[in-house]
Amino acid sequence: HVGKMIIRAIVIISVFILVLGAKDTEEIRYLTYTVNKGEGFNLRRDVHLRVVSLILNLRRTTSYNWILVLPPWPHLYHWKSHFIQNSVQWSRFFDIKALNQLLPCIELESYIKREGHVINEVLQLQRPKDPWKNGEFIQSITEEVCSVPHQVIVFDNEKLLVGKRTCLAVQGQVSLLRSYLEEKFDTSKSFLIGNFEQLMHDEFGGIEYWKIRRSMIYSLELRKAGNRFMIDILGYDPGEGNGRSPPKDGGGNYLGVHLRRMDFVRSHGDLAPSVTGIVNQLKQILKEQKLNKVFIATDGISELKDP
């Protein structure tokens, strides 16, 4: 009887501890971010990797249930559409279910439905005034006077009420911000990190880096459109799956080229090859690889029409 009573007591205590633990982990904290408006798609995707890395660490080291609020996409410079595309949701580009397998993610509109147009605390990142003191790169994070005026509109078409705003001069890796955030957990529920691109990866190319990157599967709608294009235009059968599957046997081969022109030519004209030089290089590669079809993704369509 004594043994049974001890076992019952242990079970009751264990359940009590589990309930307390569950209550702690159910206390939610939200984190979202912004990126410098002029940055392109690929840089924004890379910043997402850094943000997810931060939140995964926060979920491991704190008792809070951290949720990433996906910031809507503004109209990017390289989008050459004839109409403005603002506040584009992540689900238009990526498989949200795949993202959620790694980390709880919600769109901004879902956050607004839950919490309203309120962000408790904004941490605005900016460059230090003297980034290379004595010619040495030193990781640092310090509170400074804001270099840009306060903005009420944080995202396109959405006005968010900010409770508190702090400007941080940062230089270094994402882990710097994690240490700073530890002092804020108990007083704020939602955070916005402005200009997150200011922080570098903690471990670029590591195991977690690739785990996060592989979770960024493109949306089913885009994959279907891409498959149709490859089959109909390129004669290439990508096979079935979520974008990671190998092509079917005999699916066809082609050369794919990403050719950046326009702003790159203006900014780095001495490094950019001429159109004639590009064509000659592509012909040489096609010959070496024994291919006869090339797909060029470029923003320099006008200059490539008649090289």
Side-chain angles (χ1 to χ4, degrees):
H1 292 296
V2 174
K4 289 182 179 179
M5 290 177 65
I6 293 174
I7 292 173
R8 287 176 182 172
I10 292 174
V11 170
I12 292 172
I13 293 171
S14 300
V15 171
F16 182 70
I17 291 173
L18 285 172
V19 170
L20 284 178
K23 184 178 180 181
D24 286 341
T25 55
E26 287 174 1
E27 193 168 352
I28 293 176
R29 292 292 182 268
Y30 296 99
L31 190 145
T32 189
Y33 63 97
T34 65
V35 180
N36 179 37
K37 196 163 186 177
E39 303 297 350
F41 188 91
N42 199 48
L43 187 280
R44 290 172 182 273
R45 185 177 67 164
D46 187 75
V47 171
H48 175 83
L49 304 182
R50 305 174 212 178
V51 176
V52 172
S53 176
L54 169 65
I55 298 179
L56 286 175
N57 273 296
L58 291 173
R59 289 177 65 84
R60 284 192 289 261
T61 58
T62 73
S63 62
Y64 296 110
N65 180 15
W66 286 88
I67 297 176
L68 171 59
V69 179
L70 298 164
W73 295 72
H75 188 99
L76 303 185
Y77 171 79
H78 292 100
W79 292 353
K80 300 305 178 182
S81 307
H82 297 295
F83 55 93
I84 300 298
Q85 301 175 86
N86 278 329
S87 299
V88 180
Q89 293 192 348
W90 275 68
S91 57
R92 293 294 300 274
F93 297 121
F94 296 101
D95 186 328
I96 300 299
K97 289 184 178 179
L99 296 180
N100 271 278
Q101 288 178 1
L102 188 62
L103 177 79
C105 303
I106 60 173
E107 302 273 13
L108 178 64
E109 68 173 14
S110 297
Y111 169 81
I112 291 174
K113 288 179 181 178
R114 293 185 187 186
E115 304 293 328
H117 289 73
V118 176
I119 292 289
N120 297 139
E121 192 155 353
V122 170
L123 302 178
Q124 179 63 48
L125 307 186
Q126 57 192 42
R127 293 180 181 178
K129 294 178 181 178
D130 187 10
W132 289 87
K133 187 173 286 187
N134 299 323
E136 187 178 0
F137 182 87
I138 300 176
Q139 293 203 87
S140 62
I141 180 168
T142 56
E143 294 186 7
E144 285 190 0
V145 176
C146 297
S147 59
V148 294
H150 177 63
Q151 293 179 333
V152 177
I153 301 178
V154 180
F155 295 112
D156 292 319
N157 302 330
E158 292 293 351
K159 292 184 179 180
L160 301 180
L161 179 63
V162 175
K164 181 182 178 182
R165 184 172 185 256
T166 304
C167 290
L168 300 172
V170 295
Q171 179 169 274
Q173 298 171 319
V174 171
S175 53
L176 284 174
L177 189 59
R178 185 173 70 244
S179 301
Y180 182 86
L181 276 170
E182 290 178 355
E183 303 174 5
K184 310 286 185 178
F185 296 157
D186 298 326
T187 57
S188 296
K189 185 177 183 180
S190 56
F191 298 86
L192 184 145
I193 313 299
N195 289 93
F196 204 102
E197 77 279 356
Q198 296 288 347
L199 291 169
M200 300 183 297
H201 287 279
D202 281 325
E203 188 181 359
F204 181 80
I207 293 175
E208 187 169 84
Y209 170 92
W210 285 109
K211 187 177 181 180
I212 300 170
R213 179 154 181 171
R214 288 183 66 83
S215 73
M216 300 186 74
I217 299 172
Y218 287 113
S219 68
L220 180 60
E221 183 181 6
L222 287 183
R223 298 201 305 271
K224 285 182 176 179
N227 288 350
R228 287 195 303 270
F229 182 87
M230 285 187 282
I231 293 172
D232 297 342
I233 306 300
L234 300 175
Y236 179 88
D237 192 338
E240 305 295 331
N242 62 1
R244 306 294 185 194
S245 304
K248 292 180 180 178
D249 294 336
N253 295 309
Y254 67 92
L255 175 65
V257 179
H258 172 221
L259 186 58
R260 182 176 172 185
R261 303 297 285 174
M262 296 191 74
D263 64 321
F264 185 79
V265 174
R266 288 195 295 268
S267 303
H268 308 281
D270 56 330
L271 300 176
S274 66
V275 174
T276 301
I278 292 169
V279 172
N280 290 336
Q281 288 185 55
L282 293 181
K283 285 182 177 179
Q284 181 65 30
I285 296 172
L286 288 170
K287 182 179 179 180
E288 292 173 354
Q289 299 299 320
K290 298 179 180 179
L291 300 173
N292 58 15
K293 189 173 294 185
V294 57
F295 169 65
I296 301 177
T298 182
D299 59 354
I301 296 175
S302 58
E303 64 175 337
L304 291 174
K305 280 184 178 179
D306 187 23

